[in-house]
Amino acid sequence: IFIYIIGFFFATLTIENISFNDKNARFHGSFGSYLGIFFLGLFLTIITLGIYGAWFMKKIITYFLDNTSFDGERLKFKGKGSSLFVIMLLCVILPVIILSLIMGYFMFSNPGFLPTIQIVTNTVIFIIMVPFYYLFFRWMIDIDFSKFHVTLESSFWPSCGKIALEIFISLITCGIYAPLATVRLYKYFIDKTVLTSENERKRTGYDLENLNDFLFIWGQILLTIITATIYFPWAYSKIGKRIAGKSYITEY
């Protein structure tokens, strides 16, 4: 609950400080209405044993996007809770249930192989989560703005391969590569995000500088660590400015 409450202020401050062509985005929501949506969604998720979670997430995303405007035009999120539920069911819930039953059987049948079973379980979970990440990103990038419809144009297998590779390198480097992995995934997906209307087509992009981005982000992380997180607001702001400042929209 604390994370979601703090997240509201981070989100609103971030939205209102996004600028394009010297014009700032505006947020029209209120903390009170957000709390109402949050606590109702949390309650329904609990009493439905998590089933309502997909619709809860959809309402939270809808609240922030639909209450955001730029140059007098409101954004409108088009993703459906039912679509997210199907993604969660097929990519997470059912595979985890099946995996738990299989691994549980082997664990009780062969208790001496517990470390091996744990390694296999973690590996399989990593594999099944990759398609979920991709489909979730694709579900999220479904927005109407002014005369444009914003979508992600990418293929399933290459995208899953990209996500898997970046996560794998992050794991084997004990997280050292993770900041660059995040930026590289951001570039991969923003480069495949398009804005289409009846007679126009635009795309977004990011000017990636692998080494400079990596060193800059790690510098901010280290300053946050050595100041016992006191520096975190400045780190968040500087990293956000760098990434937003190198993102762009162009004709396609």
Side-chain angles (χ1 to χ4, degrees):
I1 292 174
F2 175 77
I3 290 172
Y4 270 89
I5 290 175
I6 295 298
F8 171 84
F9 296 104
F10 266 92
T12 54
L13 284 171
T14 301
I15 291 169
E16 293 188 341
N17 284 280
I18 292 175
S19 176
F20 183 70
N21 287 341
D22 296 324
K23 296 178 181 178
N24 276 56
R26 292 190 58 193
F27 183 72
H28 304 273
S30 67
F31 184 55
S33 59
Y34 170 76
L35 285 181
I37 292 171
F38 171 71
F39 282 112
L40 177 60
L42 181 63
F43 172 73
L44 292 174
T45 301
I46 292 172
I47 65 172
T48 59
L49 303 179
I51 293 175
Y52 185 76
W55 286 269
F56 178 29
M57 188 173 297
K58 185 261 182 186
K59 285 186 176 293
I60 293 293
I61 295 172
T62 299
Y63 177 78
F64 282 107
L65 287 178
D66 286 17
N67 279 297
T68 298
S69 69
F70 181 79
D71 197 19
E73 297 279 355
R74 291 255 188 153
L75 279 68
K76 185 171 181 58
F77 182 59
K78 305 294 289 184
K80 296 180 179 179
S82 56
S83 299
L84 180 58
F85 177 74
V86 172
I87 292 171
M88 294 174 65
L89 180 67
L90 297 179
C91 295
V92 182
I93 299 172
L94 290 180
V96 168
I97 291 174
I98 295 171
L99 177 65
S100 299
L101 293 174
I102 295 173
M103 292 298 105
Y105 170 78
F106 279 105
M107 184 174 66
F108 286 109
S109 302
N110 306 279
F113 291 95
L114 182 58
T116 303
I117 292 172
Q118 289 176 332
I119 292 173
V120 172
T121 300
N122 291 336
T123 302
V124 174
I125 289 176
F126 165 75
I127 293 171
I128 65 178
M129 286 302 294
V130 168
F132 170 74
Y133 292 143
Y134 167 68
L135 293 172
F136 180 73
F137 292 152
R138 190 179 182 90
W139 173 79
M140 277 192 62
I141 305 176
D142 188 4
I143 303 165
D144 281 344
F145 173 66
S146 184
K147 61 183 179 180
F148 293 101
H149 182 57
V150 186
T151 54
L152 180 66
E153 291 187 352
S154 61
S155 301
F156 179 80
W157 290 114
S159 298
C160 287
K162 177 66 175 177
I163 295 171
L165 176 63
E166 298 296 337
I167 295 177
F168 177 71
I169 298 175
S170 298
L171 292 173
I172 64 174
T173 58
C174 300
I176 294 174
Y177 178 79
L180 183 57
T182 303
V183 177
R184 286 174 64 87
L185 285 173
Y186 171 76
K187 173 178 173 55
Y188 180 83
F189 284 106
I190 198 172
D191 284 357
K192 297 181 182 301
T193 300
V194 297
L195 296 79
T196 55
S197 67
E198 290 185 1
N199 50 18
E200 281 187 84
R201 185 174 172 86
K202 300 177 183 288
R203 72 174 182 88
T204 57
Y206 177 73
D207 292 323
L208 176 66
E209 299 173 86
N210 285 297
L211 181 59
N212 290 336
D213 286 348
F214 175 76
L215 293 176
F216 179 83
I217 295 174
W218 256 113
Q220 298 302 307
I221 292 173
L222 290 175
L223 286 172
T224 301
I225 293 172
I226 64 177
T227 59
T229 72
I230 293 174
Y231 183 76
F232 176 74
W234 288 270
Y236 178 82
S237 175
K238 289 183 178 181
I239 292 172
K241 285 180 180 179
R242 182 179 180 88
I243 293 176
K246 298 203 297 175
S247 302
Y248 59 84
I249 300 176
T250 186
E251 297 294 334
Y252 183 50

